[in-house]
């Protein structure tokens, strides 16, 4: 069914990490499609270290978007992998803090390099 | 802080100063103006007993000049030619008071002193009661108007000073520096209010993204008081840096601060805190996989 409709969020494999780069404005339908694509991708690979969400292309993230992203991360967690959120912009961060978003129990990184290092470390334990 | 400045006619309307009042003042003028030099003298006699006198009027030349200015002030007052020029001179009186830092207390005491002396003079005149009442009312109105103009311009200057000061303070309040590659330091000194906390947060987030910092040390040894509000601001800042993928270490927690935080029941969660900057730098270097060794 999902063969014709695509979310438009690229999913790549790099250094045994699945990297998803968000560039379009997030809305519900798009995130649902993306969620399916990503989970399918993950179960096809068995030797990956984890998933990286590159959010550096997003100018605005509201609380609802953030909650959806978190729920996708929880789903990924169920498949046994960690997810790192990478490259949040300063303006996005301060608005999330102002809206009192719950940011606990997630991994964050400043850049993709750093995200890969974090995933390396979490797999060492 | 915008001051509503009324022109002369609007001020007259505000205080209900009419042609009648001005005529009454004019009638009183010849009597009153003769008394003014004596009043000025008695006023300064009183002023000599205050602490302010030594500060402002120690120099006889200054004293003489100010006394002359006071004479012309009252002359203008009894001319009661209330136009924009009149308002402007009153304004400049207030501005001068504000610049030299003369307190409002002394100025208002002075106005009251003169007003009561004028009333005394008025009451010993052999005039009808109605006339005296009318003049008294007119005196009050104009004195109050003068007071308003002067106090308002005083306030305006003081506000200007405060705004300028807080701007400078803001500019130097968030000196984020790079200690090492990927390691930033921000020493905070003074008080943290919500505006400053926001400022600190914006600045650090920008710095972190510019320098790709992985560790960030917030040194609060210079913060005077840490209460619930301040602690919450600090927690917010650390949360924000965490979202950027940067570990925040708060250093310089004095014993007093540690005690208050626990006593207030503030949940600091997973924030790394250290007593001094040295420990914080060690933690940060550990995170960066670096070590300081002696040569």
């Amino acid at each position: 069914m999902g063969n014709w409709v695509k979310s438009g969020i690229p999913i790549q494999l790099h250094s045994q990490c699945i990297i998803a780069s968000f560039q379009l404005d997030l809305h519900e339908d798009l995130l649902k499609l993306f969620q399916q694509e990503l989970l399918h991708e993950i179960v096809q690979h068995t030797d990956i270290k984890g998933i990286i969400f590159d959010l550096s292309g997003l100018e605005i993230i509201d609380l609802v978007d953030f909650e959806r992203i978190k729920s996708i991360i929880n789903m990924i967690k169920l498949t046994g992998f960690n997810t790192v959120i990478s490259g949040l912009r300063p303006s996005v961060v301060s608005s999330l803090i102002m809206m009192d978003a719950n940011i606990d129990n997630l991994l964050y990184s400043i850049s993709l390099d750093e995200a890969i290092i974090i995933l390396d470390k979490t797999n060492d334990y | 802080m915008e001051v509503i400045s009324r022109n002369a006619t609007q001020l007259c309307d505000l205080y209900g100063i009419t042609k009648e009042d001005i005529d009454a003042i004019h009638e009183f003028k010849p009597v009153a103006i003769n008394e003014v030099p004596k009043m000025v003298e008695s006023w300064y006699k009183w002023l000599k007993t205050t602490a302010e006198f030594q500060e402002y009027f120690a120099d006889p030349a200054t004293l003489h000049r100010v006394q002359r200015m006071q004479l012309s002030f009252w002359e203008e007052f009894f001319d009661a030619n209330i136009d924009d020029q009149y308002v402007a001179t009153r304004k400049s009186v207030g501005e001068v008071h504000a610049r030299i830092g003369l307190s409002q207390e002394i100025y208002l005491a002075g106005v009251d002193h003169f007003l009561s002396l004028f009333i005394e003079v008025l009451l010993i005149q052999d005039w009808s009661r109605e006339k005296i009442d009318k003049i008294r009312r007119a005196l009050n109105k104009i004195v109050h108007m003068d007071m308003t103009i002067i106090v308002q311009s005083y306030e305006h200057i003081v506000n200007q000073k405060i705004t300028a000061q807080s701007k400078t303070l803001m500019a130097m309040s968030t000196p984020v520096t790079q200690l090492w590659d990927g390691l930033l330091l921000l020493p905070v000194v003074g008080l943290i209010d919500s505006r400053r906390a926001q400022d600190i947060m914006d600045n650090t987030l920008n710095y972190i993204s510019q320098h790709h910092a992985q560790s960030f040390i917030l040194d609060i040894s210079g913060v005077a008081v840490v209460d619930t509000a301040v602690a919450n601001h600090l927690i917010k800042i650390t949360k924000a840096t965490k979202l950027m993928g940067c570990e925040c270490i708060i250093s310089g927690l004095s014993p007093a601060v540690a005690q208050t935080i626990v006593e207030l029941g503030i949940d600091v969660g997973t924030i790394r805190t250290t007593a001094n900057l040295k420990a914080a730098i060690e933690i940060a270097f550990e995170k960066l996989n670096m070590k300081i060794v002696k040569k």
Side-chain angles (χ1 to χ4, degrees):
Chain A
M1 152 237 166
N3 286 344
W4 290 280
V5 192
K6 294 271 184 194
S7 69
I9 296 173
I11 298 171
Q12 296 151 298
L13 195 66
H14 173 71
S15 312
Q16 288 175 296
C17 297
I18 291 180
I19 301 174
S21 303
F22 292 66
Q23 267 139 30
L24 304 162
D25 271 348
L26 309 169
H27 55 83
E28 199 176 352
D29 300 341
L30 187 128
L31 278 176
K32 272 221 174 97
L33 278 174
F34 165 71
Q35 171 185 315
Q36 282 174 9
E37 286 169 20
L38 182 68
L39 289 169
H40 276 291
E41 185 79 20
I42 290 170
V43 289
Q44 278 168 28
H45 297 276
T46 47
D47 56 346
I48 54 170
K49 295 173 192 161
I51 291 88
I52 300 170
F53 280 3
D54 173 22
L55 302 185
S56 60
L58 294 178
E59 300 269 0
I60 298 167
I61 299 178
D62 63 22
L63 266 187
V64 184
D65 295 338
F66 190 67
E67 285 303 319
R68 287 203 188 108
I69 292 173
K70 277 208 308 199
S71 71
I72 296 178
I73 291 175
N74 283 335
M75 293 169 198
I76 296 169
K77 188 99 199 161
L78 290 177
T79 66
F81 294 109
N82 283 316
T83 308
V84 179
I85 294 175
S86 160
L88 282 177
R89 291 185 179 219
S91 53
V92 172
V93 169
S94 59
S95 66
L96 282 177
I97 292 295
M98 243 190 283
M99 294 185 289
D100 247 338
N102 181 10
I103 61 152
D104 298 335
N105 302 320
L106 291 173
L107 298 166
Y108 303 93
S109 78
I110 187 86
S111 60
L112 286 181
D113 278 346
E114 189 63 21
I116 292 169
I117 294 171
I118 290 174
L119 285 178
D120 274 343
K121 270 188 202 158
T122 51
N123 285 356
D124 282 348
Y125 299 133
Chain B
M1 206 68 77
E2 201 45 50
V3 180
I4 307 163
S5 72
R6 293 188 163 81
N7 64 26
T9 6
Q10 285 167 320
L11 276 166
C12 285
D13 280 350
L14 191 66
Y15 284 88
I17 296 167
T18 57
K19 183 87 183 41
E20 253 174 59
D21 293 313
I22 291 170
D23 287 342
I25 289 287
H26 283 164
E27 257 177 88
F28 184 45
K29 183 185 175 182
V31 190
I33 216 80
N34 280 333
E35 299 291 327
V36 170
K38 259 190 258 165
M39 292 178 187
V40 171
E41 227 165 84
S42 87
W43 159 241
Y44 280 95
K45 210 177 273 168
W46 178 82
L47 200 60
K48 264 190 188 135
T49 62
T50 64
E52 277 85 354
F53 185 83
Q54 282 310 317
E55 197 178 328
Y56 299 109
F57 305 110
D59 179 20
T62 319
L63 182 63
H64 191 66
R65 193 166 48 85
V66 175
Q67 281 175 339
R68 254 204 337 262
M69 268 161 64
Q70 225 153 21
L71 288 180
S72 73
F73 179 93
W74 287 111
E75 204 151 327
E76 244 177 69
F77 177 87
F78 282 105
D79 283 340
N81 182 21
I82 303 171
D83 54 8
D84 286 341
Q85 172 64 37
Y86 180 93
V87 175
T89 49
R90 263 62 187 148
K91 260 189 191 154
S92 72
V93 171
E95 279 165 17
V96 168
H97 285 179
R99 290 236 164 75
I100 63 170
L102 182 77
S103 72
Q104 300 270 53
E105 267 171 40
I106 291 294
Y107 161 68
L108 292 175
V111 172
D112 186 61
H113 184 85
F114 278 96
L115 189 59
S116 61
L117 288 179
F118 282 129
I119 302 280
E120 259 174 45
V121 173
L122 182 64
L123 288 179
I124 53 167
Q125 300 303 316
D126 192 15
W127 286 337
S128 74
R129 210 203 139 128
E130 262 167 55
K131 189 175 169 185
I132 288 180
D133 273 350
K134 203 187 270 173
I135 293 175
R136 191 181 201 162
R137 184 77 198 104
L139 268 176
N140 272 332
K141 279 182 190 172
I142 300 183
V143 163
H144 284 149
M145 186 188 69
D146 273 11
M147 254 159 45
T148 318
I149 302 170
I150 289 172
V151 168
Q152 210 169 40
S153 73
Y154 185 100
E155 215 173 89
H156 181 61
I157 293 288
V158 170
N159 279 339
Q160 268 181 349
K161 270 190 194 168
I162 294 174
T163 331
Q165 277 170 356
S166 61
K167 262 189 198 154
T168 3
L169 258 184
M170 270 303 164
M172 51 189 215
S173 68
T174 51
V176 184
T177 43
Q178 191 169 25
L179 268 189
W180 206 264
D181 292 335
L183 173 55
L184 296 178
L185 168 69
L186 170 64
V188 193
V189 179
L191 294 170
I192 300 180
D193 55 13
S194 55
R195 184 159 165 217
R196 187 157 178 222
Q198 191 62 43
D199 230 49
I200 292 173
M201 194 161 96
D202 291 346
N203 253 320
T204 29
L205 294 184
N206 282 328
Y207 257 92
I208 290 170
S209 83
Q210 269 170 32
H211 295 276
H212 280 239
Q214 289 143 35
S215 281
F216 170 70
I217 301 174
L218 190 68
D219 187 68
I220 58 161
S221 45
V223 178
V225 193
V226 177
D227 54 14
T228 321
V230 173
N232 280 333
H233 288 314
L234 293 177
I235 291 170
K236 270 193 178 166
I237 292 171
T238 50
K239 266 188 170 179
T241 56
K242 195 184 158 201
L243 267 170
M244 297 285 297
C246 174
E247 191 195 27
C248 184
I249 306 159
I250 297 182
S251 78
L253 261 90
S254 65
V257 172
Q259 281 171 47
T260 33
I261 286 181
V262 174
E263 272 162 21
L264 290 173
I266 300 164
D267 177 24
V268 287
T270 53
I271 298 170
R272 299 289 296 265
T273 52
T274 64
N276 50 33
L277 191 57
K278 181 173 171 273
I281 290 175
E282 265 168 20
I283 294 174
F285 270 122
E286 187 122 331
K287 170 136 198 272
L288 295 170
N289 278 329
M290 275 189 263
K291 202 168 137 191
I292 301 172
V293 272
K294 213 171 176 183
K295 228 179 177 181

